Coordinates of all heavy atoms in Angstrom, one line a residue:
A1 N 0.8 -1.2 0.0 CA 0.0 0.0 0.0 C 0.9 1.3 0.0 O 0.4 2.3 -0.5 CB -0.9 0.0 1.2
G2 N 2.1 1.2 0.6 CA 2.9 2.4 0.7 C 3.9 2.5 -0.5 O 4.7 3.5 -0.5
R3 N 3.9 1.6 -1.4 CA 4.9 1.6 -2.5 C 4.6 2.7 -3.5 O 3.4 3.0 -3.8 CB 5.0 0.2 -3.2 CG 5.4 -0.9 -2.4 CD 6.8 -0.8 -1.9 NE 7.8 -1.0 -3.0 CZ 8.3 -2.1 -3.4 NH1 8.0 -3.3 -2.8 NH2 9.2 -2.2 -4.3
K4 N 5.6 3.2 -4.1 CA 5.4 4.2 -5.2 C 5.7 3.5 -6.5 O 6.5 2.6 -6.6 CB 6.4 5.4 -5.0 CG 6.2 6.2 -3.7 CD 7.1 7.3 -3.5 CE 6.8 8.1 -2.3 NZ 7.8 9.2 -2.1
P5 N 5.1 4.1 -7.6 CA 5.4 3.5 -8.9 C 6.8 3.7 -9.3 O 7.4 4.8 -9.2 CB 4.4 4.2 -9.8 CG 4.1 5.5 -9.1 CD 4.1 5.2 -7.6
E6 N 7.5 2.6 -9.7 CA 8.8 2.6 -10.3 C 8.9 1.7 -11.4 O 8.4 0.5 -11.3 CB 9.8 2.3 -9.2 CG 10.0 3.3 -8.0 CD 11.1 2.9 -7.1 OE1 12.2 2.5 -7.6 OE2 10.8 3.0 -5.9
N7 N 9.6 2.1 -12.5 CA 9.8 1.1 -13.6 C 11.3 1.1 -13.9 O 11.9 2.0 -14.4 CB 9.0 1.6 -14.8 CG 9.3 0.8 -16.0 OD1 9.7 -0.4 -15.9 ND2 8.9 1.2 -17.2
H8 N 11.9 -0.1 -13.6 CA 13.3 -0.3 -13.9 C 13.5 -1.3 -15.1 O 14.6 -1.8 -15.4 CB 14.1 -0.8 -12.7 CG 14.0 0.1 -11.5 ND1 14.7 1.2 -11.4 CD2 13.2 0.1 -10.4 CE1 14.4 1.9 -10.3 NE2 13.4 1.2 -9.7
G9 N 12.4 -1.7 -15.7 CA 12.4 -2.7 -16.8 C 11.9 -2.1 -18.0 O 12.1 -0.9 -18.4
T10 N 11.2 -2.9 -18.8 CA 10.7 -2.5 -20.1 C 9.1 -2.8 -20.2 O 8.7 -3.9 -19.9 CB 11.3 -3.3 -21.2 OG1 12.7 -3.1 -21.2 CG2 10.8 -2.9 -22.6
V11 N 8.4 -1.7 -20.6 CA 6.9 -1.9 -20.7 C 6.6 -1.6 -22.2 O 6.8 -0.5 -22.7 CB 6.2 -0.9 -19.9 CG1 4.7 -1.0 -20.1 CG2 6.5 -1.0 -18.4
E12 N 6.2 -2.7 -22.9 CA 6.0 -2.6 -24.3 C 4.8 -1.7 -24.6 O 3.8 -1.5 -23.8 CB 5.8 -4.0 -24.9 CG 7.0 -4.8 -24.9 CD 6.8 -6.2 -25.6 OE1 5.6 -6.5 -25.9 OE2 7.8 -6.9 -25.8
E13 N 4.8 -1.2 -25.8 CA 3.6 -0.4 -26.3 C 2.4 -1.3 -26.3 O 2.4 -2.4 -26.7 CB 3.9 0.2 -27.7 CG 2.8 1.1 -28.2 CD 3.1 1.7 -29.6 OE1 4.3 1.4 -30.0 OE2 2.3 2.4 -30.1
G14 N 1.3 -0.7 -25.8 CA 0.0 -1.5 -25.7 C -0.2 -2.1 -24.3 O -1.4 -2.5 -24.0
A15 N 0.8 -2.1 -23.5 CA 0.6 -2.5 -22.1 C 0.1 -1.3 -21.3 O 0.5 -0.2 -21.5 CB 1.9 -3.1 -21.5
R16 N -0.8 -1.6 -20.3 CA -1.3 -0.5 -19.5 C -1.1 -0.7 -18.0 O -1.4 -1.8 -17.5 CB -2.8 -0.4 -19.8 CG -3.5 0.8 -19.1 CD -4.9 1.0 -19.5 NE -5.5 2.2 -18.9 CZ -6.8 2.4 -18.9 NH1 -7.7 1.6 -19.4 NH2 -7.3 3.5 -18.3
L17 N -0.5 0.3 -17.4 CA -0.2 0.2 -15.9 C -1.0 1.3 -15.3 O -1.0 2.5 -15.7 CB 1.3 0.5 -15.7 CG 2.2 -0.8 -15.7 CD1 2.1 -1.5 -17.1 CD2 3.6 -0.3 -15.4
I18 N -1.8 1.0 -14.2 CA -2.6 1.9 -13.5 C -2.2 1.9 -12.0 O -2.2 0.8 -11.4 CB -4.1 1.6 -13.6 CG1 -4.5 1.7 -15.1 CG2 -5.0 2.5 -12.8 CD1 -5.9 1.2 -15.4
G19 N -1.9 3.1 -11.4 CA -1.6 3.2 -10.0 C -0.2 2.7 -9.7 O 0.6 2.6 -10.6
P20 N 0.1 2.5 -8.5 CA 1.5 2.2 -8.0 C 1.9 0.8 -8.4 O 1.6 -0.2 -7.8 CB 1.5 2.4 -6.5 CG 0.1 2.2 -6.1 CD -0.8 2.7 -7.2
V21 N 2.7 0.7 -9.5 CA 3.2 -0.6 -10.0 C 4.8 -0.5 -9.9 O 5.3 0.4 -10.6 CB 2.7 -0.9 -11.4 CG1 3.4 -2.2 -11.9 CG2 1.2 -1.0 -11.4
Y22 N 5.4 -1.4 -9.2 CA 6.8 -1.5 -9.2 C 7.3 -2.6 -10.1 O 6.9 -3.7 -10.0 CB 7.3 -1.7 -7.8 CG 8.8 -1.9 -7.7 CD1 9.6 -0.8 -7.4 CD2 9.5 -3.1 -7.9 CE1 11.0 -0.9 -7.4 CE2 10.8 -3.2 -7.8 CZ 11.6 -2.2 -7.6 OH 13.0 -2.3 -7.5
I23 N 8.2 -2.2 -11.0 CA 8.8 -3.2 -12.0 C 10.3 -3.2 -11.8 O 11.0 -2.2 -11.9 CB 8.4 -2.7 -13.4 CG1 6.8 -2.7 -13.6 CG2 9.0 -3.8 -14.4 CD1 6.4 -2.2 -14.9
G24 N 10.8 -4.4 -11.6 CA 12.2 -4.6 -11.3 C 13.1 -4.5 -12.6 O 12.5 -4.5 -13.7
E25 N 14.4 -4.6 -12.4 CA 15.3 -4.5 -13.5 C 15.2 -5.7 -14.4 O 15.0 -6.9 -13.9 CB 16.8 -4.4 -12.9 CG 17.0 -3.2 -12.2 CD 18.4 -3.1 -11.7 OE1 19.2 -4.1 -11.9 OE2 18.8 -2.1 -11.0
N26 N 15.3 -5.5 -15.7 CA 15.3 -6.5 -16.7 C 14.0 -7.3 -16.8 O 13.9 -8.3 -17.4 CB 16.4 -7.6 -16.5 CG 17.8 -6.9 -16.5 OD1 18.1 -6.1 -17.3 ND2 18.6 -7.2 -15.5
T27 N 13.0 -6.7 -16.3 CA 11.6 -7.3 -16.4 C 11.0 -6.7 -17.6 O 11.1 -5.5 -17.9 CB 10.8 -7.0 -15.1 OG1 11.3 -7.9 -14.0 CG2 9.3 -7.3 -15.3
V28 N 10.2 -7.6 -18.3 CA 9.5 -7.1 -19.5 C 8.0 -7.3 -19.3 O 7.5 -8.4 -19.0 CB 9.9 -7.9 -20.7 CG1 9.2 -7.5 -22.0 CG2 11.5 -7.7 -21.0
I29 N 7.2 -6.2 -19.5 CA 5.8 -6.3 -19.5 C 5.3 -6.2 -20.9 O 5.5 -5.1 -21.5 CB 5.1 -5.1 -18.6 CG1 5.8 -5.1 -17.2 CG2 3.7 -5.3 -18.5 CD1 5.6 -6.3 -16.4
R30 N 4.8 -7.2 -21.4 CA 4.5 -7.3 -22.9 C 3.1 -6.7 -23.3 O 2.2 -6.5 -22.4 CB 4.6 -8.8 -23.3 CG 6.0 -9.3 -23.1 CD 6.3 -10.6 -23.8 NE 7.7 -11.1 -23.5 CZ 8.8 -10.6 -24.1 NH1 8.7 -9.7 -25.0 NH2 9.9 -11.1 -23.7
S31 N 3.0 -6.4 -24.5 CA 1.9 -5.7 -25.1 C 0.5 -6.4 -24.7 O 0.4 -7.6 -24.7 CB 2.0 -5.6 -26.6 OG 0.9 -5.0 -27.1
G32 N -0.4 -5.5 -24.4 CA -1.8 -6.0 -24.1 C -2.0 -6.4 -22.6 O -3.1 -6.7 -22.2
S33 N -0.9 -6.4 -21.8 CA -1.0 -6.7 -20.4 C -1.7 -5.5 -19.7 O -1.5 -4.3 -20.0 CB 0.3 -7.0 -19.8 OG 0.8 -8.2 -20.3
Y34 N -2.4 -5.8 -18.6 CA -3.1 -4.8 -17.9 C -2.9 -5.0 -16.4 O -3.2 -6.1 -15.8 CB -4.7 -5.0 -18.2 CG -5.6 -4.0 -17.4 CD1 -5.7 -2.7 -17.9 CD2 -6.4 -4.5 -16.3 CE1 -6.6 -1.9 -17.2 CE2 -7.2 -3.6 -15.7 CZ -7.3 -2.3 -16.1 OH -8.2 -1.4 -15.5
I35 N -2.2 -4.0 -15.8 CA -1.7 -4.2 -14.4 C -2.2 -3.0 -13.5 O -2.1 -1.9 -13.9 CB -0.2 -4.2 -14.3 CG1 0.3 -5.4 -15.2 CG2 0.2 -4.4 -12.8 CD1 1.8 -5.4 -15.2
V36 N -2.9 -3.3 -12.5 CA -3.5 -2.3 -11.6 C -2.9 -2.4 -10.2 O -2.9 -3.5 -9.6 CB -5.1 -2.5 -11.4 CG1 -5.6 -1.4 -10.5 CG2 -5.7 -2.5 -12.8
G37 N -2.2 -1.4 -9.8 CA -1.5 -1.4 -8.5 C -2.4 -1.2 -7.3 O -3.6 -0.8 -7.5
P38 N -1.9 -1.4 -6.1 CA -0.4 -1.7 -5.9 C 0.0 -3.1 -6.3 O -0.6 -4.1 -5.9 CB -0.3 -1.5 -4.4 CG -1.6 -1.8 -3.8 CD -2.6 -1.3 -4.8
V39 N 1.1 -3.2 -7.0 CA 1.6 -4.4 -7.5 C 3.1 -4.3 -7.5 O 3.7 -3.2 -7.8 CB 1.2 -4.8 -8.9 CG1 2.0 -5.9 -9.6 CG2 -0.3 -5.2 -8.9
S40 N 3.8 -5.4 -7.1 CA 5.3 -5.4 -7.1 C 5.8 -6.6 -8.0 O 5.4 -7.7 -7.7 CB 5.9 -5.4 -5.7 OG 7.3 -5.5 -5.8
I41 N 6.5 -6.3 -9.0 CA 7.1 -7.4 -9.8 C 8.6 -7.3 -9.8 O 9.2 -6.2 -10.0 CB 6.6 -7.2 -11.3 CG1 5.1 -7.2 -11.4 CG2 7.2 -8.3 -12.2 CD1 4.5 -6.9 -12.7
G42 N 9.3 -8.4 -9.4 CA 10.7 -8.4 -9.2 C 11.5 -8.3 -10.4 O 11.0 -8.0 -11.5
D43 N 12.8 -8.6 -10.3 CA 13.7 -8.5 -11.4 C 13.6 -9.7 -12.4 O 13.3 -10.8 -12.0 CB 15.2 -8.4 -10.9 CG 15.4 -7.2 -10.0 OD1 14.7 -6.2 -10.1 OD2 16.4 -7.3 -9.1
S44 N 14.0 -9.4 -13.6 CA 14.1 -10.5 -14.6 C 12.9 -11.3 -14.8 O 12.9 -12.6 -14.9 CB 15.3 -11.3 -14.3 OG 16.5 -10.6 -14.3
C45 N 11.7 -10.7 -14.7 CA 10.4 -11.4 -15.0 C 10.0 -11.2 -16.4 O 10.3 -10.2 -17.1 CB 9.4 -10.9 -14.0 SG 9.7 -11.3 -12.3
D46 N 9.1 -12.1 -16.9 CA 8.6 -11.9 -18.2 C 7.0 -12.1 -18.1 O 6.5 -13.2 -17.7 CB 9.1 -13.1 -19.1 CG 8.7 -12.8 -20.6 OD1 7.8 -12.1 -20.9 OD2 9.4 -13.5 -21.4

């Protein structure tokens, strides 16, 4: 609940992030994905 949005990875065109979403290093969020925070995704995820 207290996390702030941070993006250290890659969010492809067409993916949608809403609210506080944390994305770790080398993580890829692929097109068409829909993520509503608060959400935390670690490093090197696909």
Side-chain angles (χ1 to χ4, degrees):
R3 297 292 292 269
K4 295 180 180 179
E6 292 184 42
N7 179 16
H8 303 282
T10 300
V11 179
E12 293 184 348
E13 185 177 353
R16 188 177 182 191
L17 276 56
I18 299 174
V21 177
Y22 177 92
I23 300 172
E25 295 180 0
N26 301 314
T27 286
V28 179
I29 309 298
R30 300 196 179 276
S31 179
S33 294
Y34 179 77
I35 304 176
V36 181
V39 163
S40 177
I41 302 173
D43 299 334
S44 302
C45 294
D46 191 343

